[in-house]
């Protein structure tokens, strides 16, 4: 497993042929099954193929990472460092990896040549957040998923209106996408945090409820959507990695603009 994990970020993307029928069958099979039991079964049976977890190491990330580490600590964890992250997030990543005994932790970064060409000043976030996300997060994430049959996401339905009715299993461009916490509520997360005494993100107590890149993240006010602090002032609610039809094109060319 470790050897396969070490290779997976470098192989050619073969677009594994999972179908909607596969996702439907898995949704039916695991309907009503506890999340931890589902993960243990999936990893033990190997039905997910070459699998990895994608984590932002945000305020809620510890729950999914703990569940996965308890089920199989060798399952790889991928973190996209946009080079615009809070220092506290990088520290939190190291804390959780060590605390949970995660055996295969990978960090991917933007292509330096692309950054030099398309964001030389480092200020693209201030006038083109979609383009900034494309080169700093979407493209590196696409690279990290090459060779994976399945990737595990930490999305939850309660986080925003754009994330409602999330199934546990879905298909994204022929690749299986697993959302173990899709139906979890904020109360469920809090209960798990307390029951397992999980470390908290250092910025959560300051009012940062959803944490992304430092320039595009602000504190959430009482009564606001948990993701209201992301890209505040812009008509934007997602970075692009959770949009099934997102093409990886030239963010400078309007004809090739990805859908965010």
């Amino acid at each position: 497993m470790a050897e396969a994990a070490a290779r997976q970020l470098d192989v050619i993307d073969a677009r594994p042929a999972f179908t909607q029928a596969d996702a439907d069958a898995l949704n039916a099979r695991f309907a009503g099954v506890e999340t931890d039991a589902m993960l243990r079964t999936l990893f033990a049976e190997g039905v997910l193929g070459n699998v990895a977890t994608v984590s932002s190491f945000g305020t809620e990330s510890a729950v999914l990472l703990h569940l996965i580490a308890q089920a199989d600590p060798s399952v790889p964890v991928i973190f996209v460092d946009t080079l615009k992250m809070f220092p506290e997030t990088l520290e939190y990543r190291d804390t959780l990896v060590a605390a949970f005994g995660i055996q295969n932790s990978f960090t991917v970064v933007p292509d330096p040549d692309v950054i030099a060409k398309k964001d030389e000043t480092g200020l693209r976030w201030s006038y083109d957040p979609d383009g900034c996300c494309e080169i700093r997060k979407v493209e590196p994430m696409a690279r990290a998923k090459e060779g994976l049959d399945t990737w595990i996401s930490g999305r939850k339905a309660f986080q925003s209106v754009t994330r409602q009715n999330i199934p546990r299993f879905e298909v994204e461009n022929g690749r299986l996408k697993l959302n173990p916490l899709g139906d979890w509520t904020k109360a469920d997360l809090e209960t798990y945090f307390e029951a397992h005494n999980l470390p908290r993100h250092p910025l959560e107590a300051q009012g940062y409820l959803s944490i992304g890149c430092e320039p595009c993240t602000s504190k959430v006010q009482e009564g606001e959507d948990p993701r209201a602090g992301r890209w505040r002032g812009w008509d934007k609610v997602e970075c692009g990695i959770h949009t099934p039809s997102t093409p990886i094109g030239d963010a400078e060319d309007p004809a090739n603009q990805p859908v965010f």
Side-chain angles (χ1 to χ4, degrees), residues 67-91:
L67 282 163
I68 289 173
Q70 292 295 301
D72 184 350
S74 72
V75 172
V77 175
I78 299 170
F79 170 67
V80 178
D81 181 359
T82 64
L83 307 181
K84 293 287 185 181
M85 311 304 290
F86 285 93
E88 290 87 348
T89 295
L90 303 180
E91 295 170 6

Side-chain angles (χ1 to χ4, degrees), residues 2 32 58 69 76 79 103 131 168 178 194 231 244 249:
F79 170 67
Q103 297 172 8
R168 273 183 163 178
L178 171 57
E194 294 174 8
W231 306 287

Side-chain angles (χ1 to χ4, degrees), residues 99-131:
F100 299 163
I102 294 170
Q103 297 172 8
N104 295 299
S105 175
F106 298 93
T107 296
V108 293
V109 298
D111 185 319
D113 293 333
V114 173
I115 295 298
K117 177 183 177 182
K118 298 183 177 181
D119 194 14
E120 182 179 4
T121 65
L123 295 174
R124 187 162 183 165
W125 61 269
S126 65
Y127 60 88
D128 181 19
D130 282 354

Side-chain angles (χ1 to χ4, degrees), residues 193-216:
F193 260 103
E194 294 174 8
H196 298 277
N197 194 28
L198 303 184
R200 297 277 185 170
H201 194 293
L203 294 177
E204 183 177 7
Q206 299 180 33
Y208 293 92
L209 303 186
S210 179
I211 300 174
C213 295
E214 186 170 6
C216 297

Side-chain angles (χ1 to χ4, degrees), residues 2-3 8 20 33 40 54 62 109 111 124 151 169 172 189 206 209 218 225 229 243 251 259:
E3 182 180 354
Q8 69 182 17
Q20 187 58 48
V33 178
R40 290 178 189 277
V54 174
V109 298
D111 185 319
R124 187 162 183 165
W151 68 291
F169 299 88
E172 178 185 280
L189 295 174
Q206 299 180 33
L209 303 186
S218 59
D225 183 294
T243 304
V259 178

